[in-house]
Amino acid sequence: MKIIDGNALAETIKSELRIKVLEATASGKRPPHLAAVLIGDNPASRSYVTNKVKSCQDVGYKSTLIQRPAELSQQAVLDIVHQLNEDPEIDGFIVQLPLPEHIIEMDITLAIRPEKDVDGFHPMNLGLMTLGLPTYLPATPMGIMQMLERYHIDTAGKMCCVIGRSNIVGTPISILLSRKGNPGDATVVMCHSRTPDIKKISSEADILIVALGRPQFVTPDMVKEGAVVIDVGINRIPDPSKKSGFRLVGDVDFERVSPKCNYITPVPGGVGPMTVTSLLLNTWKAYSGEIYPKT
Ligand code: L34
């Protein structure tokens, strides 16, 4: 059993980016600039956005954090988005999800200019992704693709089971892995809440990707011997022995499942840090105009 070390891989990618930033600034250019919008005080969101801002500092990007209370109106959020769209100093920005219930997430996503949508959530960018054209890939699926690639895990012709069908993970990773290419060329089956017998499908999978948000949902009987298991879930469960009062567990029962696996990602230190570095990579693409040439 080998652990796919998301923290180590994230550090490698950040060192590569740091060099590119130094080269750009040495030639007189300004550094890339990412903005993040955080509405409300969801502690998990706050922690993720903090990691994003910190990682910008690590690689020499400029970052701006716009924090507003949960009561902010939909129009006020749209006003922030419009302002960031128009700001020539900002290469890309994200609006951290989930948003408070009174805000219609899709309306916010649609208001972000595709050129600045470094989350890759806008239908324009998701459409380009689906067609296999260059675009910003959503950060979590992109992080998973990088893990598979950098660990030389062969996906071609493999049977892949994705549990979860969210817009930000399950759906895009299913599309990416079934597309032509490497990683890719897998036979993908997507399972969700209406799938009658998930175990029957997951236990046949060479690659199992779990993103449903239920602590330790995947047990050893659901996993094939020698499988590659990618655990996307990050759940906070009460733990009085911790100072914070909680600990993080994935959607996979790591302790019991890992002995059966060829490769497995831990939580924390697996997919999470790769989500953050993928956002940095997309911001570099926005800055350099690789996807949408700057006018
Ligand atoms: N707009 N909303 C938007 N873009 C995103 O890409 C996200 N996502 C998901 C939730 N909402 C979003 C993230 O940023 C999930 N996510 C995310 C980002 C970072 C981490 C986890 C999820 C992360 O850094 N995880 C650490 C532990 C963090 C902690 O201590 O709480 C890890 O080692 O897994």
Side-chain angles (χ1 to χ4, degrees):
M1 185 269 290
K2 296 190 200 80
I3 289 182
I4 302 181
D5 187 340
N7 282 329
L9 209 46
E11 284 309 317
T12 305
I13 292 169
K14 285 197 277 186
S15 334
E16 292 165 5
L17 269 175
R18 206 172 293 127
I19 293 167
K20 296 220 259 183
V21 175
L22 279 173
E23 280 170 3
T25 50
S27 74
K29 295 201 188 97
R30 65 161 177 82
H33 187 172
L34 172 72
V37 181
L38 177 59
I39 310 287
D41 48 14
N42 179 321
S45 296
R46 187 184 296 262
S47 152
Y48 304 158
V49 171
T50 301
N51 288 350
K52 292 175 182 183
V53 169
K54 218 185 287 160
S55 297
C56 281
Q57 282 163 4
D58 285 351
V59 297
Y61 287 8
K62 194 174 169 192
S63 64
T64 298
L65 174 56
I66 299 169
Q67 259 180 291
R68 296 288 182 270
E71 299 73 38
L72 207 68
S73 70
Q74 165 133 335
Q75 189 53 52
V77 180
L78 287 171
D79 289 344
I80 296 173
V81 169
H82 294 138
Q83 213 172 351
L84 293 169
N85 278 341
E86 297 308 322
D87 187 340
E89 297 292 309
I90 305 270
D91 298 297
F93 65 96
I94 65 155
V95 179
Q96 187 71 18
L97 304 180
L99 287 167
E101 258 177 53
H102 66 279
I103 294 173
I104 302 165
E105 278 179 5
M106 190 44 72
D107 286 354
I108 305 301
T109 302
L110 286 168
I112 299 173
R113 270 179 47 197
E115 295 89 328
K116 294 202 176 187
D117 170 38
V118 285
D119 260 333
F121 292 172
H122 190 285
M124 171 76 179
N125 289 321
L126 284 174
L128 290 168
M129 180 202 80
T130 303
L131 296 173
L133 296 168
T135 187
Y136 310 119
L137 298 180
T140 302
M142 179 174 171
I144 296 170
M145 295 293 272
Q146 298 234 328
M147 288 174 139
L148 296 170
E149 192 181 335
R150 298 214 182 205
Y151 274 79
H152 306 290
I153 293 167
D154 197 15
T155 58
K158 296 289 162 62
M159 159 52 181
C160 175
C161 171
V162 176
I163 307 179
R165 57 175 159 185
S166 71
N167 289 340
I168 74 173
V169 186
T171 298
I173 194 66
S174 300
I175 295 169
L176 290 171
L177 283 173
S178 44
R179 247 174 37 190
K180 239 187 221 314
N182 179 33
D185 286 322
T187 305
V188 180
V189 182
M190 211 204 282
C191 298
H192 45 72
S193 51
R194 299 300 299 270
T195 305
D197 192 351
I198 293 181
K199 178 176 136 185
K200 188 167 157 220
I201 297 165
S202 65
S203 60
E204 295 281 312
D206 305 303
I207 299 163
L208 178 58
I209 298 181
V210 195
L212 80 165
R214 282 223 246 152
Q216 298 169 318
F217 175 83
V218 171
T219 46
D221 54 318
M222 298 171 71
V223 179
K224 181 173 158 177
E225 193 73 44
V228 174
V229 175
I230 309 285
D231 187 356
V232 185
I234 304 186
N235 309 286
R236 294 182 165 207
I237 63 168
D239 184 343
S241 76
K242 295 274 155 112
K243 208 163 64 186
S244 60
F246 69 86
R247 70 190 160 96
L248 297 177
V249 300
D251 290 351
V252 175
D253 183 343
F254 182 90
E255 211 174 304
R256 291 163 61 217
V257 168
S258 56
K260 284 189 89 171
C261 300
N262 202 345
Y263 286 96
I264 187 166
T265 65
V267 176
V271 175
M274 294 301 293
T275 297
V276 177
T277 50
S278 296
L279 176 65
L280 298 181
L281 289 168
N282 280 340
T283 303
W284 179 268
K285 288 184 179 163
Y287 167 74
S288 62
E290 275 171 54
I291 311 288
Y292 297 97
K294 296 208 159 164
T295 46

